[in-house]
């Protein structure tokens, strides 16, 4: 039975998939190209992954596009990434709209360059009523930064009497995270053979299944996405219970 046939017969599709798109630079450098060549080729992988996710009925796809730590990279690479973001939004917006894709961001987006903020805001506004799938871009995102910003919002609520110290619940924190109203990812994919979380969705990944692949992000295609979904479907998610209690 081919992977494809097997996949289509199964029903257990994650509602939310998160991806650490990694390996653009190494992929480009291995062929003697500039790191930015890797990033621009990575856009094709984004397009294909989004298309598959829609087709498979996944409702949320979160992509780690730029971390707060990535500001430490050479300025030319950062500038190139930001330009690529603006160009990609410009090129893809009609397609997103036609396919019912709602765009969202997580991360401290206000600290991105002005033109990035503007094109993001416009695309978010244009696509806000779309319902097929939500594409969440993590931009200037790190989980610790998100949690600290959330703590400040909680403190503000305590100050104004909306919350009482000693009575703060998980839901209260979740409501002030950037991911408020987004369900936790059930599956995390990381490409390029790195086995780490790199400050991504630390709270939200509490019970996610992890799938690691050696493939560099610019080479990530439908077959690799299916492989990840199949891997997810082969897992027994116990949430702390025993195997007997699950079956
Ligand atoms: C991921 O690829 C994209 C971003 C972090 C923006 P990298 O640029 O990290 O590529 P490698 O890991 O150096 O190969
Ligand atoms: C994680 O990749 C961030 C993104 C994919 C945007 P990095 O390449 O920045 O992570 P490390 O440095 O290898 O942990
Ligand atoms: Mg990397």
């Amino acid at each position: 039975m081919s992977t494809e046939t097997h996949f289509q017969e199964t029903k257990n599709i994650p509602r939310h998939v998160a991806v650490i798109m990694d390996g653009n630079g190494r992929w480009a450098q291995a062929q003697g190209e500039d790191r930015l060549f890797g990033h621009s080729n990575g856009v094709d992988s984004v397009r294909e992954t989004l298309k598959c996710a829609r087709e498979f009925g996944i409702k949320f796809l979160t992509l780690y596009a730029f971390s707060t730590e990535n500001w430490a990279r050479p300025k030319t690479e950062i500038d190139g990434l930001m330009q690529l973001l603006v160009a990609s939004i410009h090129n893809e917006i009609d397609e997103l709209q036609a396919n019912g894709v709602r765009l969202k961001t997580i991360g401290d987006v206000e600290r991105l360059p002005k033109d990035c903020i503007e094109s993001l805001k416009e695309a978010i506004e244009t696509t806000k009523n779309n319902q097929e799938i939500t594409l969440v871009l993590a931009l200037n995102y790190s989980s610790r930064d998100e949690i600290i910003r959330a703590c400040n919002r909680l403190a503000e609520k305590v100050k104004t009497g909306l919350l009482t110290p000693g009575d703060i619940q998980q839901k209260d924190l979740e409501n002030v995270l950037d991911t408020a109203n987004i369900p936790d990812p059930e599956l995390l994919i990381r490409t390029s053979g790195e086995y780490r979380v790199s400050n991504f969705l630390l709270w939200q990944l509490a019970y996610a299944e992890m799938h690691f692949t050696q493939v560099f992000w610019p080479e990530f295609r439908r077959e690799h996405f299916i492989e990840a979904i199949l891997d997810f479907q082969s897992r027994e998610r116990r949430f702390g219970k025993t195997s007997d209690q699950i079956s």
Side-chain angles (χ1 to χ4, degrees):
M1 203 188 308
S2 78
T3 306
E4 188 78 358
T5 332
H6 181 72
F7 175 71
Q8 285 173 350
E9 284 168 7
T10 57
K11 291 275 180 287
N12 179 21
I13 296 291
R15 190 157 169 235
H16 183 176
V17 176
V19 187
I20 302 177
M21 310 182 286
D22 200 11
N24 295 353
R26 277 165 287 161
W27 178 80
Q29 284 169 329
Q31 25 193 330
E33 297 282 354
D34 194 61
R35 293 178 58 86
L36 278 169
F37 179 75
H39 297 314
S40 41
N41 276 273
V43 178
D44 294 339
S45 309
V46 169
R47 199 178 299 113
E48 179 146 340
T49 303
L50 177 62
K51 181 169 181 276
C52 294
R54 258 184 58 235
E55 192 186 311
F56 303 161
I58 290 161
K59 298 309 280 182
F60 295 86
L61 176 69
T62 297
L63 303 178
Y64 204 2
F66 193 83
S67 75
T68 56
E69 287 80 11
N70 289 146
W71 293 112
R73 293 191 178 196
K75 188 174 183 303
T76 46
E77 181 168 349
I78 297 171
D79 291 347
L81 277 166
M82 296 302 157
Q83 279 166 22
L84 186 62
L85 176 65
V86 174
S88 302
I89 294 172
H90 179 79
N91 293 338
E92 305 295 329
I93 185 70
D94 291 349
E95 191 81 7
L96 297 179
Q97 190 62 357
N99 291 324
V101 181
R102 177 173 67 142
L103 184 70
K104 260 175 128 31
T105 58
I106 55 172
D108 197 356
V109 176
E110 294 299 324
R111 301 181 71 157
L112 294 174
K114 239 196 175 80
D115 57 337
C116 289
I117 301 175
E118 273 159 23
S119 28
L120 283 166
K121 278 195 178 146
E122 197 183 322
I124 290 168
E125 178 63 27
T126 309
T127 62
K128 70 177 181 200
N129 293 321
N130 291 343
Q131 291 187 356
E132 281 296 302
I133 186 169
T134 302
L135 172 64
V136 183
L137 294 182
L139 288 162
N140 189 23
Y141 178 87
S142 86
S143 195
R144 288 183 173 178
D145 179 69
E146 175 193 31
I147 290 169
I148 290 298
R149 285 185 287 106
C151 287
N152 281 306
R153 290 182 194 128
L154 283 183
E156 216 38 67
K157 288 193 178 190
V158 168
K159 196 173 149 193
T160 54
L162 285 168
L163 280 178
T164 316
D167 196 30
I168 294 175
Q169 312 292 315
Q170 290 196 12
K171 199 76 211 139
D172 296 315
L173 176 60
E174 281 166 358
N175 286 340
V176 290
L177 287 170
D178 297 347
T179 51
N181 302 317
I182 300 174
D184 287 345
E186 288 116 316
L187 170 64
L188 172 76
I189 301 171
R190 183 167 189 154
T191 58
S192 87
E194 303 296 355
Y195 301 87
R196 54 178 172 263
V197 181
S198 300
N199 218 344
F200 191 44
L201 300 173
L202 299 179
W203 172 278
Q204 298 87 342
L205 291 174
Y207 267 101
E209 298 298 327
M210 311 270 177
H211 175 83
F212 298 97
T213 170
Q214 298 298 314
V215 173
F216 290 133
W217 180 249
E219 287 184 327
F220 191 85
R221 289 293 172 269
R222 181 185 176 87
E223 69 212 77
H224 307 115
F225 195 51
I226 291 178
E227 236 170 67
I229 304 286
L230 285 173
D231 192 14
F232 171 81
Q233 290 173 336
S234 75
R235 310 281 179 88
E236 181 182 63
R237 306 190 72 207
R238 291 193 286 277
F239 300 98
K241 296 182 181 172
T242 68
S243 192
D244 286 347
Q245 289 175 296
I246 304 298
S247 53

